Amino acid sequence: MKSAAQDAVKSYRRKCDYLEIRLHTEKSTSLSLATKEVDSIKEKLDSGGCVRVLKNGAWGFSSFTNPLSLKRAAEDAFQMALAVGGGDGKLVPVEPVTATYNVEILNDPFHIPLGRKMDLLWSYNERILSGTGPTWNSRVSYFDSVIDLFYLNS
């Protein structure tokens, strides 16, 4: 997906005043218990992004949820900026910056088996239900997520 974004910037660099592409990929796990039953177990992988274009002072925007739609989204944003036309949008000239930021993951939640995560939930749930005083219902939830963001502009 990153190479497709770089290709789109190359394709539109001369056609517009400015182009930016943001890509987002998220992998997540969500678990939930309700009293003594499993309420939900979900593992997801989501991806998508958006494109903004500035052409002759007018902005165009398009978003997508299918990475294969990136080229189409770039064209849609470009056409939208053309259709709006003649705005007063401007960019302040700045020097280019290239940067990468990686977060060190000490304990990657995706290396922990789902069964171990469920065992942890059941142990917390049991503590709640076996506590002093009347407890009839409980809800215990777990969520983890890893997000990869990529930003590129002309």
Side-chain angles (χ1 to χ4, degrees), residues 15-90:
K15 295 179 184 179
C16 59
D17 303 320
Y18 175 77
L19 171 86
E20 95 180 8
I21 298 173
R22 295 171 187 253
L23 304 175
H24 174 112
T25 302
E26 180 178 8
K27 182 178 179 183
S28 65
T29 304
S30 173
L31 310 170
S32 178
L33 302 178
T35 308
K36 294 189 177 188
E37 296 181 7
V38 174
D39 186 42
S40 68
I41 298 175
K42 297 175 186 172
E43 289 186 308
K44 290 192 324 183
L45 178 62
D46 290 324
S47 61
C50 62
V51 180
R52 282 195 325 163
V53 169
L54 176 64
K55 175 70 176 170
N56 297 331
W59 288 99
F61 177 85
S62 183
S63 63
F64 56 94
T65 56
N66 181 341
L68 299 176
S69 301
L70 172 60
K71 284 184 181 181
R72 174 68 186 191
E75 181 62 23
D76 288 349
F78 179 72
Q79 291 300 324
M80 188 181 300
L82 286 177
V84 171
D88 59 0
K90 296 178 187 171

Side-chain angles (χ1 to χ4, degrees), residues 91-137:
L91 295 175
V92 176
V94 294
E95 290 298 314
V97 174
T98 300
T100 300
Y101 183 76
N102 292 311
V103 176
E104 181 183 358
I105 300 174
L106 300 177
N107 295 311
D108 188 340
F110 296 101
H111 290 144
I112 299 170
L114 191 59
R116 188 165 156 213
K117 294 174 186 179
M118 288 300 295
D119 289 345
L120 180 63
L121 282 182
W122 284 117
S123 72
Y124 286 143
N125 192 56
E126 195 56 42
R127 284 182 188 176
I128 291 167
L129 293 174
S130 65
T132 59
T135 303
W136 295 279
N137 297 309

